[in-house]
Each structure stands twice: as C-alpha cells, then as structure tokens.
Amino acid sequence: MSQHDTAKNDDFDLQDFLPYLLNRAAEESSLEFQQVYKNRYGMLRTEWRVLFHLGNYGKLTAKEIGTRARIHKTKISRAVHRLETRRYLKRSRSEADRRVEELTLTPAGQAAYRDLCSIAAQYDAKLAGLFSAEETDLLRKMLRRLGHIG
Amino acid sequence: MSQHDTAKNDDFDLQDFLPYLLNRAAEESSLEFQQVYKNRYGMLRTEWRVLFHLGNYGKLTAKEIGTRARIHKTKISRAVHRLETRRYLKRSRSEADRRVEELTLTPAGQAAYRDLCSIAAQYDAKLAGLFSAEETDLLRKMLRRLGHIG
DNA sequence: GGATAATAGTTGATTTTGTAACTAACAAGC
DNA sequence: GCTTGTTAGTTACAAAATCAACTATTATCC
C-alpha cells in the first residue's frame, strides 16, 4: 500500500473537520483584536475576558465569572490579581460569605472596558461584514449552540 | 453613573462577539476529540495535526506542514521530535537540499492516523448533525473564510 | 456542637508555548 | 570563489497554561 493510497483513506478531509475549522477561524479572528488589548493595556486574553464580564454585568465573584465564561479558577485568580495590581478592579470580601470576593471595576477599569468594547464592536462589524446579515445571524446562532452558550 | 448603567454601554454584548463565540465553540468542540488522541496515543494537538497532514498528504517537510496548517516552526519541530521518539514518523534528509527533512509516517503512525481519522469523522458527523445539511455547509464555508483557508 | 464534607480562592510544581538567537545549508551577485 | 542574504530547522530562555495540593470558610449531618 503506497503512501498515497493511505491519503485517500475514508472520504474524510481535515480541511472540513469542524473542530479544525473552528480553531482556525477562532485563532485568526482573535489575532487582530488581541493586539489591541495587549499593546494598549498590556492584558492577556483571560484578563480581557474578566474585564469584559465585570464591565458588562457589574459586580461578580471569581466563581461566577469562571462559570459564565468557562474559565478555570486558577486562570481567573491570576487574571484578577494582575488586573488588581494594575488598578483596573478592586475586590472586597463578601459580608455574607467570607470565602467570597466581590469584584468590581475601578473607574480606570471602566474606561478601559468602554474603550475596548467600542473597538470590539467595530471589529465585530468588520467580521460580520464578510457575510450577509442573515448568514451572520445564523453563524452566531450555530456558534452559540456549539459553544453551549445561552 | 451606576454599575448597571455601565453594563448597558453601547448596544454591544460579549455574548455576540464573533471572536468570543468562535473561541468558545472551538474549545468546546475540541474537548471531546482531544480526549481521544490524548488518552489513546498520548498526543498533543499539534502532534495530531502533524500526524494528520502526513497521513493525508503523504511525504511532507516540516516547512510545508507549517505553511498548510499555520503552525509555527518551533511547534512543528517539537511535535516532529516527539512523534519520532514515539515511532510514529521517520525523517530523512533530502538529497536535493540537505537543509530539508522529508517526513513520513511509520506503519504505526499510519495505523494511528487511520484510527483517529475514523473517530474524527464520526465526531464531525455528530457535530454536523446538530444542524441541517445546508446550514452545516454554510457554516464550513464561513469558517473557511474566517480562517483564511482555501 | 463537633466531625466531615464541600466551596472559594490561592499557590507551587510541571508542562507547554512563544520569542529570539542560533547552526547549517543553499543562493545570488559580483 | 567569496561575501551577503535567505531558508530549514533547532535550541535556550522567558511567559503562560495546567494540575494538584493547599488555606480558609461555610454547610451537612449525626
């Protein structure tokens, strides 16, 4: 059996494998926006996500952010620490349950959030512009389903 | 301005941000299949991708794999080393250009490739089954475009 | 109320990745 | 044929992700 016959195994092609396509599209689409929060605010992706959740939902605990965004608690813990060091958020022990920390953005954090949001919105529009409005709507719907969101 | 008003900034929601949706869907959809190549063959994602490309296209150089799959050469280098150590592939210096290494799968590598391919195909069918055939086709088309493939 | 289990979050050790500098081989210009 | 530049691939060091063990607090249950 030649190498080339092996290549024709099944009727399956990596180029069509959904997890592969999803990963490629995710990497590619994240790259450009990543430059913004990285260069402008020195943030990592997890930090941007934590910032976003706090900006979007207001006061949250680390646990809640982790559950909503499916981020592991150690990543959250380190992201919160860095965001706190850079004065983008502050934490305070909950009175009700002293294990819990309530996280909120500082004014600087809110400003960064607003700035990044507006850039994200622009960037999203640019990506969405590759397709018709109906197609983009369907894409988001399918991605939410695949990502178990909503 | 209250925390909650901040949340209503713009008409933009992270839940709809395409890079976020793409990343969530990519992570979620990769998880299950990842268990297979990880637990059954002790492979990392890059190794599975390298194996796949060699199985699918036959003899390739590290450079070619990197170009096709958009993987950085250091990642390829390490993946090739590990796959070689585990006897899934062998390399030989090109006669024509002695900088280049020609990579091919060993029989064990081909067996792993076939096994993983058939599981991948099944898994892909399962994901595709969430939607209609037309929807899935459109999804793949859009993802290829977003990932700059094809 | 005291032992046991569960939960929120942190820390440390190990693995994996990313960046930059490196070696070796080839190519081009003169 | 010898400098200069380019390309394939590796390696070293720093940054980040992962996993397991840890502290502190609360909940359960006898």
Side-chain angles (χ1 to χ4, degrees), chain A residues 77-141:
Chain A
S77 174
R78 285 170 169 130
V80 166
H81 178 75
R82 280 178 52 115
L83 287 170
E84 187 190 31
T85 300
R86 293 161 188 231
R87 316 259 186 256
Y88 289 130
L89 67 75
K90 55 189 199 304
R91 36 182 161 189
S92 61
R93 284 278 166 209
S94 159
E95 292 298 323
D97 183 343
R98 297 184 40 72
R99 289 170 301 185
V100 170
E101 292 184 334
E102 289 161 355
L103 307 171
T104 49
L105 294 185
T106 61
Q110 287 175 31
Y113 165 73
R114 278 192 299 270
D115 182 33
L116 287 170
C117 264
S118 86
I119 294 168
Q122 274 178 260
Y123 184 54
D124 190 77
K126 186 176 137 190
L127 292 175
L130 291 172
F131 314 106
S132 76
E134 295 74 31
E135 287 173 332
T136 305
D137 283 352
L138 180 62
L139 177 63
R140 286 193 223 269
K141 217 185 73 189

Side-chain angles (χ1 to χ4, degrees), chain B:
Chain B
M1 194 188 205
S2 80
Q3 191 68 256
H4 195 251
D5 289 334
T6 305
K8 294 194 183 301
N9 167 41
D10 300 320
D11 51 350
F12 177 68
D13 186 1
L14 177 68
Q15 305 293 339
D16 289 332
F17 189 37
L18 277 170
Y20 176 73
L21 289 174
L22 286 163
N23 273 289
R24 283 287 301 266
E27 278 169 35
E28 205 62 48
S29 75
S30 297
L31 222 107
E32 193 173 335
F33 183 61
Q34 188 169 34
Q35 300 309 311
V36 181
Y37 56 71
K38 194 174 164 186
N39 295 338
R40 197 179 292 195
Y41 295 101
M43 286 186 196
L44 266 26
R45 186 186 308 179
T46 307
E47 289 159 40
W48 144 247
R49 284 199 191 171
V50 167
L51 183 92
F52 191 101
H53 278 266
L54 289 172
N56 205 37
Y57 299 111
K59 183 162 65 180
L60 289 174
T61 70
K63 182 66 197 303
E64 286 165 343
I65 298 173
T67 304
R68 282 174 193 271
R70 295 247 170 123
I71 305 175
H72 194 269
K73 60 180 180 172
T74 63
K75 272 172 100 170
I76 303 270
S77 174
R78 289 191 256 246
V80 166
H81 178 75
R82 280 178 52 116
L83 287 170
E84 187 189 33
T85 301
R86 292 162 189 233
R87 316 260 187 254
Y88 289 129
L89 66 77
K90 56 187 196 307
R91 36 182 161 188
S92 61
R93 285 278 166 207
S94 161
E95 293 297 323
D97 183 343
R98 296 182 43 70
R99 289 170 301 185
V100 170
E101 291 183 335
E102 288 161 354
L103 307 171
T104 49
L105 294 185
T106 62
Q110 287 174 31
Y113 166 73
R114 279 191 298 270
D115 182 32
L116 287 170
C117 264
S118 86
I119 294 168
Q122 274 179 259
Y123 184 53
D124 190 77
K126 186 175 137 192
L127 291 175
L130 291 171
F131 314 105
S132 76
E134 296 74 32
E135 286 173 331
T136 305
D137 283 351
L138 180 62
L139 177 63
R140 287 194 222 268
K141 217 184 72 187
M142 296 176 89
L143 292 175
R144 265 193 292 273
R145 184 122 170 242
L146 288 166
H148 303 153
I149 299 174

Side-chain angles (χ1 to χ4, degrees), chain A residues 1-129:
Chain A
M1 193 189 205
S2 80
Q3 189 69 254
H4 195 251
D5 289 334
T6 305
K8 296 198 181 297
N9 165 42
D10 298 322
D11 51 349
F12 177 68
D13 186 0
L14 177 69
Q15 304 293 338
D16 290 331
F17 189 38
L18 277 170
Y20 176 73
L21 289 173
L22 286 162
N23 272 287
R24 284 286 301 266
E27 278 168 34
E28 205 62 48
S29 74
S30 296
L31 221 106
E32 191 172 338
F33 183 61
Q34 188 169 33
Q35 299 309 312
V36 181
Y37 57 71
K38 194 174 164 187
N39 296 337
R40 197 180 291 196
Y41 295 100
M43 286 185 195
L44 266 28
R45 186 186 306 180
T46 307
E47 289 159 39
W48 145 248
R49 284 201 192 170
V50 166
L51 183 92
F52 193 103
H53 278 266
L54 289 172
N56 205 36
Y57 299 111
K59 183 162 63 181
L60 289 174
T61 71
K63 182 68 197 300
E64 287 166 341
I65 298 173
T67 303
R68 282 175 193 270
R70 295 249 170 120
I71 304 175
H72 194 269
K73 60 181 182 172
T74 62
K75 274 171 98 170
I76 303 269
S77 174
R78 285 170 169 130
V80 166
H81 178 75
R82 280 178 52 115
L83 287 170
E84 187 190 31
T85 300
R86 293 161 188 231
R87 316 259 186 256
Y88 289 130
L89 67 75
K90 55 189 199 304
R91 36 182 161 189
S92 61
R93 284 278 166 209
S94 159
E95 292 298 323
D97 183 343
R98 297 184 40 72
R99 289 170 301 185
V100 170
E101 292 184 334
E102 289 161 355
L103 307 171
T104 49
L105 294 185
T106 61
Q110 287 175 31
Y113 165 73
R114 278 192 299 270
D115 182 33
L116 287 170
C117 264
S118 86
I119 294 168
Q122 274 178 260
Y123 184 54
D124 190 77
K126 186 176 137 190
L127 292 175

